[in-house]
């Protein structure tokens, strides 16, 4: 039976201070630009941007203003995600002005909360009689979950209980409405989120019933008779979003079979990874072998069959969804920013259950590529969809690619992704380390310090990293007194067999100390002990499993955690006309002037000439190739130099006899 | 100024008797299976097939039955296309029983025709007050056009005037309703068809006003103020097919700019090519330089920028439409059967204007590949969409490919394609030859005889052809008396530089006699003179223009007019794992047992092994390749051996230093 072997917990945000040449700029951008910009957007004060209506709805629901509800049925969640981001930011960088802004919003939420504890501006303003009549479509518990996450974060950041008390009243009310008992609704939400939020609420309050309610939602999902179908019949076979009379597609909601029987990732990818996150959370607290197995199988299915090399997931924009094994088209991809963030959530939970570096490898892959790639340097433009191949003309003129944007657009009416990036970046410190009673795990190489206790002994670990352009990491240990404990250091997948680990200058035998991708160093650590890790700087040429049809004959370039891409602006030709040579002699060089500085990779390739083709579309003659220098830039920087073609997977000239 | 240089006309169906080892089987299949099967389908008598409602609607409209209208608003056109096919079949193969069936239907049409001449079962049964209120969506003139085509064909086949008189009354009524005069509707149909039909009606009746009405519809299209937008406003901004309040997308209907200003093929591809056909028809009769230029430019745009190597057109299922230059994705393609048939119509008209073999090359390409490929050997299953790359799992599980079917489905509710195939195949004789006062042009190599007159002299030309598997064509000339005239023999594009033409055994100097792809042989022809043509049997490896991104690094195999494909059933692996060797040593061999007999091409290639990949999705090691024999079958035979993967464009191992 599967059990948890070496559980650990994240080192909390307030115990981690990040100070990193690469990442601090993103954390700062989120704090100084993204959070203030989103605050203005939520107030409908950004000229030329579609109004969010989020604050306006709240003011109406609070009785402070008159008017109509505006925006999507789930509009409240944008505000909640912003508040959560603001809370994390305050936790690591106190800001009285920002705290006042959040407090003002909390006051309005309190005013808008119904006497029974219910809170949702859509159903309060627009359809009060329809509360809990369409869980499938209407995101009521989803919005509740995001408010709970914001409340927990704000309480942890400030110690203020008002919002926490609001969400506890709301959670108590939900607990009175949903559950297995007769007279309660035997249901669950169309968009998973409350499940993971209730675990957080349980953690901070210690109230077991929140954990049980989360477990109930997970256990009830996908059982027969099916709640969504019964609900659909009760509504007269209608749906909120369309006039179709078709029943809901249960796999879109991961409710096609009971959750613990699921082995393949299906349906809307954000919903999926939010659910898997909650499953792992619950498994961590219940050591439930069935849930653990489902989590591991779903993880494996995603990572080994359905994940883009950029850490993106979701192969189709129809339903923003997974499709099936090895179906990873690069140019009709969805790869929503929120889905990669959810995958990072899931990875962090899996790391807490099983310290296996694959989880951290994926977390890092999603973070360095899709997540930061989704955000423009100005903090005001975001990709929701993160393609691996773009032809701007096709985005405009082929309707099957209209969802693929060649440059980062501004804030959307459905602004799920930008506040999700904000809350992840402002809580980034939580993702670097986990600890157990005697072990500190280092999952990410991001500079800063972590403060933990082993027994009664406070320990500080100071990390320096020059990733991703360099490859050197060092850590200095500063325990208040000498004591024996373990530091477990991740050896990234991209550096396997090429890492050198030293303690106080002495090289360790990695074969002897590495298990599941972590080097376990147990000793009595003294103040000033140092640990250094030299990782690989090799440029890797990646190939895909032969069943991944979309990448046949193509390679991707990776160096460290950074995946590269080609843009046509650097080649004066469609990237599809370029081949990487079979011995490309790839060289990395830092270009300080490229979009704030980045390492560029150059090498040898071939270019198909188009001059002599004239009017021919097809012909029976060989193509003319001439040697060219190919130039690859980090994927996360694509689309920042105007519209142009981009590809992660590029053709290679195979080495054949 | 552009003018028509050497106009010719098709040799009419009754003057051509086909007798060809390859094509006669299709003509026979259509006569013996497809036409009877469709007759039953139109009567809703095929078990397990969605009812057509076409005859049921007609019986209701004729007052012979009670009931509701069923099927699409354009359902009448399925019946009309079937009648047209039946008429052609009767013309070349008299069949009293079939003629009785058509006559019975004509009787009902007469009964259903309104006193003013109007005929349309939808508007007669369901919405009589809404006649002519939604030309954009409702296909009224489209259905009228198909009835006109049927009437002309049936009159030409049988000499019976009843249906011709019905459509003349209808056309006269339409002429009274539409036109530039005050009080008339200044409009045109959303789906072009009546324009080409009115030219046929003009040809058979000699009534100039039908030609003028066709010209009016063409000239009015795309002018300001826009009829579709005005109509949409009058209807209260509604559409027939959706609840959207968006105005019609004018380029979908090729009405975004005036027709004679159009230079790029846009929008719904069937509508487009039906319109271009009518434009060429009108230009032939008016020698209108602007229309001629538009026809030539639109032809060039399609054939040199937007046509699949199979002769398919339409790059997206969204709107069943063209997208833009060089956008020819193989796996999300539309390539509707009807669109290739329309392209053949257009090609035939262009041939009549300008004897250039490119028009016939495209006609042949569409015919031998997409058109016959659309039909199963049983005559009861048809592709509407003709993909160049299929992964059956993706068709089921990736919604962006749901329209790509891996095997030919049965009759659809919207059964546009099967009756279109039937009417083309049963009139195939019309596509082989055109003639002018002193020249017989041979455009296609299909055995049989053609009877024409030069001056007063009847001439019979008997053609024998062993295409597509062989490459020998011979023609015997049988004039009733010796007289001087020209026979113009097409040298196909795929045999350029490799054709040998002999007259009575004497080899001709092609350089001296070929112009625009036709060898002009002018002489006093005597009874028994023979002409023989040896064409190339070389296997060609085709490559695409470098701007055609979807085919980068890939080749297609063609031999004679036949385009080939790979199916995974012959290779035990995904076709994407196969590479054609750089010197593939391709050999053609006839396989009598393959689906009725076909020439198969085998050669050398490489296969990527998947065994050692296990759970890896990406890795930094070279792929293992082993030599394999690749086996290519004719594209038109794909999908006949159960579901499996197929690709026309296959990877090649480029010959690089």
């Amino acid at each position: 039976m599967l059990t948890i072997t070496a559980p650990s917990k994240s080192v909390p945000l307030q115990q981690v201070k990040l100070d990193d040449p690469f990442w601090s700029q993103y954390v700062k951008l989120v704090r100084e630009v993204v959070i203030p910009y989103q605050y203005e957007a939520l107030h409908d004060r950004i000229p030329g941007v579609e109004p969010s209506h989020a604050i306006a709805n709240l003011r109406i629901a609070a009785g402070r203003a008159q008017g109509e509800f505006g925006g999507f049925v789930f509009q409240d969640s944008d505000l909640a995600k912003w508040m959560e981001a603001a809370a994390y930011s305050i936790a690591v960088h106190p800001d009285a002005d920002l705290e006042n802004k959040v407090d003002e919003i909390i006051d309005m939420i309190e005013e808008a909360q119904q006497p029974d504890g219910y809170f949702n501006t859509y159903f309060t303003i627009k359809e009060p009689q329809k509360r809990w009549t369409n869980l499938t479509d209407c995101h009521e518990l989803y919005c509740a979950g995001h408010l709970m996450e914001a409340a927990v974060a704000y309480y942890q950041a400030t110690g203020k209980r008002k919002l926490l008390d609001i969400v506890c009243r709301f959670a108590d009310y939900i607990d009175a409405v949903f559950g297995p008992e007769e007279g309660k609704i035997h249901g669950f939400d169309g968009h998973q989120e409350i499940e993971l939020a209730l675990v957080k609420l349980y953690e901070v309050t210690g109230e077991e019933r929140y954990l049980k309610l989360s477990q109930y939602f997970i256990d009830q999902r996908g059982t027969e008779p099916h709640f969504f179908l019964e609900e659909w019949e009760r509504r007269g076979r209608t749906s909120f979003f369309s006039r179709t009379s078709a029943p809901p597609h249960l796999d879109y909601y991961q409710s096609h079979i009971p959750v613990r029987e699921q082995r393949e990732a299906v349906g809307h990818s954000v919903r999926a990874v939010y659910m898997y996150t909650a499953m792992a959370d619950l498994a961590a607290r219940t050591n439930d072998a069935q849930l653990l197995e489902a989590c591991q199988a779903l993880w494996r299915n995603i990572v080994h069959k359905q994940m883009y090399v950029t850490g993106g997931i979701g192969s189709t924009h129809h339903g923003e969804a997974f499709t099936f094994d090895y179906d990873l088209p690069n140019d009709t991809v969805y790869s929503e920013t929120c889905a990669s963030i959810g995958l990072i959530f899931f990875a962090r939970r899996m790391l807490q259950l099983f310290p296996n570096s694959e989880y951290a490898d994926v977390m890092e892959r999603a973070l360095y590529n899709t997540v930061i790639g989704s955000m423009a340097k100005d903090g005001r433009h975001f990709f929701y969809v993160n393609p691996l191949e773009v032809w701007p003309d096709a985005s405009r003129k082929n309707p099957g690619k209209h969802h693929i944007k060649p440059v980062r657009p501004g804030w959307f009416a459905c602004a799920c992704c930008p506040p999700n990036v904000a809350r992840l970046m402002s809580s980034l410190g939580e993702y670097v380390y986990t600890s157990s009673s005697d072990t500190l795990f280092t999952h990410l190489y991001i500079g800063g310090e972590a403060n933990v206790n082993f027994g009664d002994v406070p320990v500080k670990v100071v990390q320096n990293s020059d990733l991703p352009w360099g490859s050197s990491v060092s850590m200095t240990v500063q325990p208040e007194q000498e004591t024996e404990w373990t530091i477990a250091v991740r050896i990234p997948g991209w550096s396997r067999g090429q890492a050198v680990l030293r303690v106080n200058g002495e090289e360790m035998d990695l074969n002897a100390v590495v298990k599941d991708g972590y080097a376990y160093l147990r000793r009595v650590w003294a103040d000033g002990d140092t640990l250094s890790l030299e990782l690989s700087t090799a440029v890797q040429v990646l190939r895909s499993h032969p069943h991944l049809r979309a990448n046949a004959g193509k390679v991707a370039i990776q160096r460290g955690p950074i995946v590269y891409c080609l843009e046509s602006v650097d080649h004066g030709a469609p990237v599809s006309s370029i081949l990487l040579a079979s011995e490309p002699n790839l060289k990395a060089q830092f270009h300080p002037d490229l979009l704030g500085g980045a390492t560029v990779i150059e090498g040898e390739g071939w270019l198909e000439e188009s001059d002599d083709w004239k009017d021919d579309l097809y012909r029976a003659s060989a193509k003319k190739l001439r040697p060219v220098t190919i130039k690859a830039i980090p994927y996360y920087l694509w689309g920042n130099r105007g519209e142009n073609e981009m590809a992660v997977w590029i053709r290679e000239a195979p080495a054949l006899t």
Side-chain angles (χ1 to χ4, degrees), chain A:
Chain A
M1 202 180 82
L2 193 63
T3 54
I4 303 165
T5 47
S8 64
K9 289 199 169 188
S10 294
V11 176
L13 196 52
Q14 273 125 325
Q15 294 168 224
V16 180
K17 282 188 191 145
L18 297 188
D19 181 12
D20 183 270
F22 186 81
W23 284 101
S24 291
Q25 59 180 328
Y26 287 99
V27 177
K28 188 176 172 209
L29 181 69
V30 165
R31 185 175 69 240
E32 295 185 353
V33 177
V34 180
I35 290 175
Y37 179 78
Q38 293 183 355
Y39 183 78
E40 294 303 303
L42 292 163
H43 283 81
D44 308 334
R45 293 195 292 240
I46 309 271
V49 164
E50 269 188 272
S52 154
H53 300 285
I55 291 289
N57 292 336
L58 182 57
R59 290 175 50 79
I60 297 164
R64 295 190 183 192
Q66 298 283 316
E68 297 290 315
F69 179 88
F72 288 94
V73 67
F74 48 78
Q75 208 71 16
D76 287 348
S77 64
D78 281 357
L79 182 59
K81 281 193 281 188
W82 177 84
M83 291 169 74
E84 187 186 345
Y88 296 138
S89 185
I90 290 164
V92 296
H93 194 274
D95 178 337
D97 179 53
L98 182 58
E99 208 172 310
N100 283 339
K101 285 175 174 159
V102 178
D103 286 336
E104 279 172 27
I105 293 169
I106 292 171
D107 289 343
M108 286 196 280
I109 292 173
E110 189 178 43
E111 291 165 29
Q113 186 170 35
Q114 303 297 295
D116 56 7
Y118 184 78
F119 175 79
N120 182 298
T121 69
Y122 176 85
F123 285 99
T124 299
I125 298 171
K126 196 159 176 180
E127 300 203 286
Q129 74 292 357
K130 291 209 173 159
R131 192 194 286 189
W132 309 135
T133 60
N134 189 344
L135 274 292
T136 314
D137 295 334
C138 289
H139 294 66
E140 274 167 294
L141 295 174
Y142 168 84
C143 289
H146 273 303
L147 198 65
M148 290 172 194
E149 285 202 90
V152 169
Y154 196 63
Y155 169 70
Q156 289 175 324
T158 63
K160 292 180 183 172
R161 289 197 60 97
K162 188 187 252 190
L163 185 58
L164 189 67
D165 291 338
I166 289 170
V167 301
C168 286
R169 284 197 298 276
F170 193 5
D172 292 341
Y173 165 64
I174 292 168
D175 188 42
V177 171
F178 290 88
E181 297 85 1
E182 207 179 332
K184 288 189 175 180
I185 300 174
H186 308 318
F188 44 89
D189 203 79
H191 198 317
Q192 300 91 323
E193 154 64 23
I194 195 170
E195 298 83 356
L196 73 87
L198 282 166
V199 176
K200 288 189 174 182
L201 197 59
Y202 156 72
E203 286 290 325
V204 82
T205 63
E207 290 286 356
E208 287 275 350
R209 65 179 178 279
Y210 300 147
L211 190 70
K212 276 192 184 153
L213 184 58
S214 173
Q215 180 96 43
Y216 173 74
F217 287 136
I218 288 291
D219 288 344
Q220 182 65 10
R221 198 171 199 91
T223 58
E224 297 284 348
H226 202 290
F227 173 67
F228 289 165
L229 299 178
E230 290 187 327
E231 193 190 53
W232 173 71
E233 293 285 358
R234 276 197 296 275
R235 281 195 311 273
R237 302 189 166 204
T238 61
S239 131
F240 185 83
F241 291 107
S242 73
R243 292 166 197 264
T244 171
S245 61
H249 286 95
L250 300 180
D251 53 1
Y252 171 80
Y253 309 91
Q254 298 81 39
S255 70
H256 52 304
I257 51 172
V259 168
R260 55 192 71 221
E261 294 172 19
Q262 297 187 24
R263 293 292 179 271
E264 289 180 13
V266 298
H268 188 270
S269 51
V270 175
R271 296 171 200 236
V273 284
Y274 281 18
M275 180 173 87
Y276 308 153
T277 300
M279 288 162 65
D281 273 338
L282 289 167
R285 283 150 189 88
T286 61
N287 208 1
D288 176 330
Q290 284 183 322
L291 266 188
L292 287 171
E293 275 181 29
C295 286
Q296 283 199 331
L298 290 163
W299 173 271
R300 276 197 302 267
N301 178 255
I302 293 174
V303 170
H304 298 286
K305 304 283 173 64
Q306 300 203 69
M307 184 183 73
Y308 288 91
V309 73
T310 51
I313 51 174
S315 298
T316 176
H317 74 287
H318 298 272
E320 306 174 333
F322 290 107
T323 56
F324 67 104
D325 293 356
Y326 299 115
D327 185 41
L328 293 160
N330 294 306
D331 57 343
T332 56
V333 49
Y334 203 68
S335 181
E336 185 180 346
T337 306
C338 289
S340 281
I341 291 171
L343 182 60
I344 291 169
F345 295 163
F346 183 28
R348 178 153 77 105
R349 292 348 188 253
M350 293 303 285
L351 270 179
Q352 294 173 4
L353 293 171
F354 308 103
N356 186 315
S357 67
E358 182 183 82
Y359 301 119
D361 284 348
V362 168
M363 191 159 81
E364 186 184 68
R365 186 177 286 284
L367 208 50
Y368 276 95
N369 300 292
T370 296
V371 173
I372 59 170
S374 75
M375 188 164 48
K377 291 274 169 186
D378 68 359
R380 296 183 174 89
H381 296 81
F382 299 86
F383 282 131
Y384 294 64
V385 170
N386 297 279
L388 284 80
E389 185 177 320
V390 174
W391 181 11
D393 283 343
S395 294
R396 273 188 297 274
K397 297 177 187 171
N398 185 321
K401 296 180 183 169
H402 279 176
H403 64 292
I404 305 286
K405 305 298 177 199
V407 292
R408 292 164 185 77
W411 183 273
F412 280 11
C414 174
C416 53
C417 299
N420 238 347
V421 174
R423 67 185 182 130
L424 178 64
M425 282 296 134
S426 54
S427 62
L428 188 62
E430 279 190 344
Y431 294 79
V432 183
Y433 306 97
T434 61
S435 65
S436 64
S437 59
D438 68 345
T439 305
L440 179 72
F441 292 90
T442 310
H443 303 298
L444 295 176
Y445 295 110
I446 299 179
E449 59 178 60
N451 293 280
V452 287
N453 285 287
F454 291 111
D456 299 333
V457 183
V459 172
K460 177 184 285 190
V461 174
V462 179
Q463 180 183 164
N464 282 291
S465 160
D466 64 1
L467 263 61
W469 315 130
S471 60
S472 302
V473 178
S474 67
M475 291 185 223
T476 308
V477 176
Q478 300 169 7
E480 286 202 2
Q481 63 191 71
E482 292 193 6
T483 179
E484 184 175 9
W485 51 282
T486 303
I487 187 161
V489 175
R490 168 176 159 255
I491 310 299
W494 46 265
S495 196
R496 200 144 298 155
Q498 293 175 296
V500 177
L501 180 64
R502 291 188 179 85
V503 177
N504 295 331
E506 182 196 348
E507 186 170 340
M508 301 286 104
D509 175 5
L510 286 178
N511 289 328
V513 296
V514 170
K515 189 186 166 217
D516 294 337
Y518 285 83
Y520 287 81
L521 306 173
R522 184 164 190 86
R523 62 162 65 201
V524 176
W525 292 94
D527 189 21
D529 279 349
T530 62
L531 182 157
S532 77
L533 183 61
E534 276 301 322
L535 298 169
S536 169
T537 56
V539 180
Q540 294 188 315
V541 175
L542 300 183
R543 292 173 184 82
S544 303
H545 192 289
H547 289 177
L548 202 171
R549 277 91 175 149
N551 294 346
K554 295 182 176 177
V555 294
I557 296 171
Q558 182 172 342
R559 180 178 172 277
I562 299 286
V563 172
Y564 281 76
C565 68
L566 263 57
E567 287 198 303
S568 53
V569 67
D570 293 316
H571 302 89
V575 285
S576 59
S577 294
I578 297 166
L579 290 83
L580 190 69
S582 57
E583 293 182 14
N585 194 20
L586 296 172
K587 292 201 168 64
Q589 193 178 6
F590 189 75
H591 287 219
D593 298 334
L594 179 70
L595 300 165
T599 294
V600 166
I601 295 175
E602 295 193 336
E604 293 167 22
W606 300 89
L607 175 68
E608 290 177 2
E609 308 224 48
S610 59
D611 314 353
D612 65 334
W613 274 76
K614 297 195 184 75
D615 231 12
D616 286 341
L617 188 55
Y618 308 110
R619 67 185 197 195
S621 56
K623 293 198 176 182
K624 282 192 195 160
L625 297 166
R626 64 174 168 85
V628 284
T629 298
I630 71 133
K631 177 178 173 185
I633 68 161
Y635 170 75
Y636 79 85
L637 289 173
W638 83 272
N640 275 306
R641 294 176 293 169
E643 276 192 9
N644 81 125
E645 293 185 49
M646 181 277 289
V648 169
W649 290 96
I650 54 175
R651 296 164 53 198
E652 71 170 332
L656 295 171
T657 46

